[in-house]
Amino acid sequence: MNSDRIKTSIENIFQDESRWSHQPYKSRRIIFWYDPEQQFQDIFDQLQFTSESTAETTPEIIKYQLGDNAFTTKYHLLIKHPKQNFLIYAPFKEPAHEDNWLIDIQLYSQTFSADPSALLFADLNFHQRSLENIIRQHLKFFDSRKRRDAIFNMRLGTETSDREFLLAMLSVLAGIKVANADMLLRQVLSAGLLESDNKHWLEFQKFNLDTAFWEIVKESTGFDSSKRSLQKLLNSLLISHLQMTLRCKLPESLIAYTLPSSQKAYAFIEHWANDRTDGDQWISLIKQVEKELQIQSAIADLLPEHIYQSNTFECIDFMLMRACVREIKAQASDLKRWQKWFNMRRTFIWCEKYPTYANTYEALAAAIELLEMKESFSISAPLLPQWEKGLGDEGNSSTSASKLFKIYAQSLYLADRLYRKFIVASDDSVPILREQGVIEYIENLYVNWFLDNLGQAWTEAIAPLQVHNQPNNQTNWQLEGIPSQQKFFQNYVQQILQTSDREKVFVIISDAMRYEVASELKEQIAKELRGNIAIKAQLGILPSITSLGMAALLSGTSLEFTNDFKDVLRDGLSTQGAEARQKVLQKTSQVDATVISATDLIKMTVDEGREQIKPYRLIYIYHDNIDSIGDKSASERQVMAACETAIAELLKLVKRICNSLNGTHVFITADHG
C-alpha cells in the first residue's frame, strides 16, 4: 500500500470540516487506526505530519500507538495534550464496545482503515460505517476508474444512507449522472423488458446489484412480486396508472396487475409521459403492454365518460374517436361535453406524437360546433325574427339585405370558419373520419344547410335592390347602413392622415381573404400584441374581382372600367400593377405614398425596412397567399389550408410593422373574398 496514499487520506479526514461539524468537541480531532494484521506498522512509524501538510487552522497532529494501559492513553489525550489532534494507531482488532476502555473518546472521533474499502470510504467522506461494508462487498464495481469518478461526481453527502449509496451505484451502471430512483427505473425499462437483452440489467447482475435494484423498485413503486420481471413491473405500473385515471371501477380482468399504492405508480408514469425527451421509447413500451394485456378488449365496455381523462394507452384515443363519430352521425343531444374532453386530450403525448390524432380531435370539435350552429339558426327565407337578435334598433330600421349582412358579420360567418377548420384538420386525420362517412356528412351539412339556404336568403333579400352599371362603365351598389369598400380610404385612412402631418398609416391588402379568416386573424393579433384592435365589415364591390377590388381600396373618388374592361381607373388613372397604384396614391392621397409586397418587406432586415418606409406616410402592402392558390385548379383544394398560412404570415407582418418599424396605425383588408 502506498504510504503517500495513506497519508493523504488521513490528512483529508483531519481537514474535512463536514466530518467534525456534528462532534461535541470541535476544537480537537482524534482518529483511531486499527490494524489487526499489523501490516501497516512500518508505514505508521514513517508517517510525518508537518504544519505545511495540514490546514493552517488545524493544530499539529501527534502520532500515538496504543499499548496495554488505556489509562496512560487517556492521560495523554485528556490531561497532557487536551487540545492536540491525535492519530492513534492500534496494532490489534478493534475491541467490542463493552471491552473498549477508550470508547467514550472514540465515539466523538473518527476511525480509519488502510484497506481499499476503508480508503474509498474515507475519500467519499461517509459517516455511516455500513457503507464501508457495501464498498467491500462490491470492490469489483470500484475497479474501474470511470465508475469511481462517476460516484465521486455525484457528490454524495456525508450522511448518505445504504439505500442512497446503492442507488448511486445502480445509476452509474445505467449511465445516469444523478442518483434518482425514477430516472433509474425509466432508464432500465427503456432498455427493453426482456432481461436477457437489457444491457443495464446485465450490468446489475454482473456486479451483484440486481437485488438492490428490486429493493429500490419496491420502495419507489410498491412493486413486490415473488416472480420479479421488468415486464411485470411495467404492467403493474401502467395498469395502476389506468386505475387512477379512469372515472369508473377498473375491469376485473385487470385488477390483479395493480399495485397496493396506485398513487406512486400514477406519479411515476405521469412524469414519464410528460417528459418528451424519451417519448419514442416510452410509446414503444406502452404499445407492448397494450398488446400483451389486450387492453382494448378489457376496457371495451367502458363509456366515453369513463375513459376521457386517461392517457395511459393509445387505444383510448381510438375508442373516443369512434364514440364521438357515432354521436355526431346520430346528432346526439349532448355533444358539448366532447369539446372539454378534446381540449384535455390535445395536451397528452399521443396527440403531440401523432399530429393526425390532434387533427382528428380538431375536425370533430369543428363538426360539433357546426351542428350546434345548425340548431341555433334557421337559415331560410323569409328572415326569421331570431336572426335580428343582438342587432338593436339599428337592425330594425334596415332593409332585409342589410340585416342579413349584419347577422353574417355578427355570427353566421362562424359556419364558414368551422367548415374551413374541419376540412383542413380532416385532410390529415385518422382514416376513421372518411371510413365512417363523417367528412361527407359535414360537407353535405355545410352545402345543404348553410350555403344553399344562405344563398336563397340572399337572393330574396337583395331582390328589391337595383344593381346596375352606371354611365362610363362605373359600378356601384349599396346596402343601407353598411360602409362601402369604395370609401375605405375616406372612411379610415384619410381621417388618420389628416390628424397630423407626421402620422404614418400602413394598409395591408390580402388578396381574397374572407371575413371569417380576418376574424381569426384579429383574435391572433390580440393575443400577440398590445393596443386597440377591432374588426369591421364593409360591403365589397361588384363584380368581386381582384382588379376592381384593388382599385376600390386606393385613394380617390371615382371608379370605372376602361371601354375594353381590361383595366380599372381610379380618378381616371390606371390601377393595373404596383407601379400604377403607387402613382394613384401619390396623386390622390395628398401624402407621400409607396407600395411594397409583403414578401419583400418580411425579407428585409429591420434597418432595411425602416429605410424603405422612411420617406413615406402612406404604405400599401400587398399580400397574396390565398388567391394565388385558389386561382389554380390543381391546388384549389388547398385554399383552406392556405388561409391558415395567410393568418400566420399576416400576424408576422403586423408584428414586424409594430415592433420593428414603429407602426401604430395598421389596416388589414381584402380586395375581394
Side-chain angles (χ1 to χ4, degrees), residues 484-669:
S484 171
Q485 184 183 24
Q486 291 191 61
K487 295 185 178 181
F488 164 77
F489 188 86
Q490 293 92 323
N491 289 342
Y492 303 108
V493 181
Q494 192 173 55
Q495 295 180 18
I496 296 174
L497 293 174
Q498 290 176 347
T499 59
S500 166
D501 60 1
R502 303 181 66 179
E503 295 288 342
K504 287 182 183 288
V505 176
F506 295 81
V507 177
I508 303 172
I509 303 173
S510 185
D511 202 341
M513 183 173 65
R514 300 192 301 179
Y515 180 83
E516 60 91 359
V517 177
S519 70
E520 184 176 346
L521 175 61
K522 179 219 170 190
E523 294 169 6
Q524 293 296 324
I525 294 174
K527 291 178 182 177
E528 298 281 344
L529 292 170
R530 295 180 179 178
N532 298 322
I533 177 169
I535 184 169
K536 295 182 180 180
Q538 56 186 3
L539 183 64
I541 199 164
L542 292 180
S544 183
I545 57 177
T546 296
S547 59
L548 190 58
M550 289 292 186
L553 294 170
L554 297 171
S555 51
T557 55
S558 67
L559 192 67
E560 58 186 330
F561 281 106
T562 57
N563 291 330
D564 58 5
F565 290 95
K566 291 183 178 180
D567 193 4
V568 180
L569 305 180
R570 187 64 157 166
D571 286 5
L573 300 174
S574 170
T575 61
Q576 195 169 40
E579 188 176 341
R581 292 169 194 166
Q582 181 166 344
K583 289 181 179 179
V584 173
L585 291 172
Q586 286 279 28
K587 185 172 182 179
T588 62
S589 68
Q590 299 179 346
V591 298
D592 289 326
T594 188
V595 301
I596 186 173
S597 76
T599 303
D600 290 343
L601 185 57
I602 286 294
K603 288 180 179 178
M604 293 178 185
T605 65
V606 172
D607 289 339
E608 289 172 343
R610 289 176 178 173
E611 192 65 27
Q612 177 73 22
I613 67 168
K614 185 176 180 180
Y616 307 104
R617 292 187 58 208
L618 179 60
I619 302 96
Y620 266 55
I621 303 168
Y622 291 98
H623 174 261
D624 185 13
N625 177 275
I626 299 172
D627 202 48
S628 64
I629 292 178
D631 273 349
K632 302 178 183 69
S633 58
S635 59
E636 191 173 0
R637 172 71 177 179
Q638 302 170 21
V639 70
M640 293 191 179
C643 292
E644 306 280 334
T645 304
I647 290 172
E649 290 178 352
L650 290 168
L651 176 61
K652 183 178 180 180
L653 184 59
V654 172
K655 290 171 72 174
R656 166 63 68 90
I657 292 170
C658 296
N659 294 336
S660 301
L661 304 182
N662 301 320
T664 55
H665 303 287
V666 183
F667 292 95
I668 306 172
T669 187

Side-chain angles (χ1 to χ4, degrees), residues 101-146:
W101 289 92
L102 301 175
I103 189 64
D104 56 331
I105 299 175
Q106 187 174 321
L107 286 177
Y108 65 80
S109 304
Q110 298 286 332
T111 58
F112 171 75
S113 177
D115 69 80
S117 302
L119 290 174
L120 272 169
F121 175 82
D123 289 343
L124 287 165
N125 296 332
F126 289 150
H127 285 165
Q128 303 294 334
R129 300 302 305 183
S130 57
L131 298 185
E132 186 176 333
N133 292 328
I134 293 177
I135 294 173
R136 186 168 287 106
Q137 293 165 11
H138 298 90
L139 273 176
K140 184 179 178 182
F141 174 92
F142 294 97
D143 284 345
S144 162
R145 180 172 181 175
K146 182 179 179 181

Side-chain angles (χ1 to χ4, degrees), residues 209-479:
L209 286 167
D210 46 330
T211 300
F213 171 76
W214 287 118
E215 288 301 315
I216 287 171
V217 168
K218 178 182 178 181
E219 182 179 333
S220 302
T221 68
F223 178 79
D224 187 26
S225 172
S226 57
K227 296 182 179 179
R228 296 166 173 169
S229 76
L230 298 177
Q231 179 72 64
K232 289 182 178 180
L233 169 61
L234 187 57
N235 290 350
S236 293
L237 289 170
L238 288 172
I239 298 304
S240 297
H241 181 271
L242 177 66
Q243 183 182 44
M244 292 290 292
T245 55
L246 291 178
R247 296 177 62 85
C248 65
K249 184 180 178 182
L250 188 72
E252 282 294 326
S253 61
L254 299 176
I255 290 179
Y257 297 98
T258 57
L259 295 170
S261 175
S262 294
Q263 186 61 46
K264 288 183 178 180
Y266 171 81
F268 174 77
I269 294 297
E270 199 68 13
H271 291 157
W272 195 359
N274 291 328
D275 185 352
R276 304 308 195 240
T277 55
D278 51 359
D280 290 345
Q281 188 60 40
W282 187 85
I283 286 175
S284 176
L285 291 170
I286 305 308
K287 288 184 175 181
Q288 288 183 48
V289 175
E290 183 178 310
K291 182 178 180 181
E292 178 179 325
L293 302 185
Q294 299 181 343
I295 298 298
Q296 188 162 346
S297 298
I299 63 175
D301 294 334
L302 301 184
L303 299 175
E305 289 80 359
H306 298 150
I307 63 176
Y308 76 88
Q309 282 187 335
S310 179
N311 64 331
T312 313
F313 295 104
E314 183 181 14
C315 64
I316 292 173
D317 284 287
F318 287 102
M319 293 173 65
L320 288 169
M321 291 171 191
R322 277 194 287 268
C324 183
V325 165
R326 287 194 298 268
E327 291 194 20
I328 286 176
K329 294 185 69 176
Q331 297 188 37
S333 58
D334 187 21
L335 291 174
K336 284 186 177 180
R337 71 195 196 288
W338 286 98
Q339 303 285 17
K340 180 181 72 173
W341 299 350
F342 292 159
N343 289 336
M344 177 186 298
R345 299 207 66 81
R346 289 190 193 102
T347 65
F348 294 161
I349 190 172
W350 303 105
C351 281
E352 291 191 19
K353 180 61 181 174
Y354 301 119
T356 53
Y357 294 5
N359 290 337
T360 302
Y361 286 134
E362 184 80 21
L364 291 172
I368 289 172
E369 284 194 65
L370 203 55
L371 284 168
E372 290 174 347
M373 275 197 71
K374 181 177 181 292
E375 297 301 314
S376 302
F377 292 94
S378 177
I379 304 177
S380 59
L383 298 176
L384 298 181
Q386 66 166 345
W387 282 36
E388 301 178 21
K389 183 179 180 181
L391 294 181
D393 295 336
E394 180 186 359
N396 295 330
S397 63
S398 303
T399 65
S400 294
S402 298
K403 291 177 182 178
L404 183 53
F405 182 98
K406 293 173 182 177
I407 292 169
Y408 180 87
Q410 175 182 279
S411 53
L412 285 181
Y413 73 89
L414 284 171
D416 283 322
R417 185 202 287 195
L418 292 170
Y419 180 69
R420 170 171 60 85
K421 292 288 186 183
F422 174 82
I423 292 299
V424 171
S426 63
D427 278 348
D428 188 24
S429 62
V430 298
I432 189 174
L433 296 187
R434 191 167 296 281
E435 293 170 355
Q436 298 297 317
V438 176
I439 294 177
E440 183 181 5
Y441 177 77
I442 296 300
E443 286 177 341
N444 290 335
L445 173 72
Y446 178 70
V447 172
N448 298 329
W449 161 69
F450 186 71
L451 291 186
D452 287 353
N453 286 324
L454 186 60
Q456 179 63 27
W458 269 112
T459 298
E460 296 191 16
I462 65 174
L465 303 177
Q466 294 294 322
V467 180
H468 56 82
N469 288 332
Q470 299 296 326
N472 300 322
N473 293 326
Q474 290 181 335
T475 179
N476 182 39
W477 78 298
Q478 300 180 44
L479 292 180

